[in-house]
């Protein structure tokens, strides 16, 4: 049986780092979306979300959609430039 702690203490491989690098635009877009959603949640303390808050959310959602589509296209067409 494999030692479960070995998985925790092992350094990421070059393949792991390459996968993270490839997925980073999507990860960053999802973090921006999360930040926009948190801003909306806390907007109640200031009297409700502003038009700018909603615009930020829509832009973040669109960015996630584009990044996911680009990542999918890159995975299905390895010759596509990132």
């Amino acid at each position: 049986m494999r030692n479960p702690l070995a998985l925790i203490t092992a350094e990421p491989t070059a393949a792991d780092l390459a996968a993270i690098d490839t997925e980073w635009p999507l990860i960053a877009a999802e973090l921006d979306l999360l930040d926009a959603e948190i801003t909306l949640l806390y907007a109640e303390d200031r009297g409700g979300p502003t038009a700018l808050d909603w615009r930020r959310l829509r832009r973040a959602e669109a960015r996630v959609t584009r990044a996911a589509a680009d990542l999918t296209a890159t995975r299905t067409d390895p010759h596509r430039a990132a």
Side-chain angles (χ1 to χ4, degrees):
M1 182 173 174
R2 206 172 196 185
N3 179 0
L5 294 179
L7 296 176
I8 295 171
T9 59
E11 295 292 323
T13 65
D16 294 336
L17 294 174
I20 291 169
D21 192 45
T22 300
E23 293 182 16
W24 187 253
L26 179 58
I27 294 167
E30 289 174 336
L31 288 171
D32 287 344
L33 177 58
L34 179 62
D35 190 49
E37 291 170 340
I38 290 169
T39 299
L40 285 178
L41 290 172
Y42 283 104
E44 292 301 320
D45 297 340
R46 328 185 297 268
T50 65
L52 186 58
D53 293 333
W54 289 111
R55 180 179 176 190
R56 183 173 174 223
L57 178 68
R58 288 190 308 271
R59 285 179 157 215
E61 289 171 337
R63 185 172 168 215
V64 167
T65 302
R66 282 191 308 273
D70 288 347
L71 183 60
T72 301
T74 302
R75 285 183 177 168
T76 57
D77 183 5
H79 300 292
R80 179 183 163 147

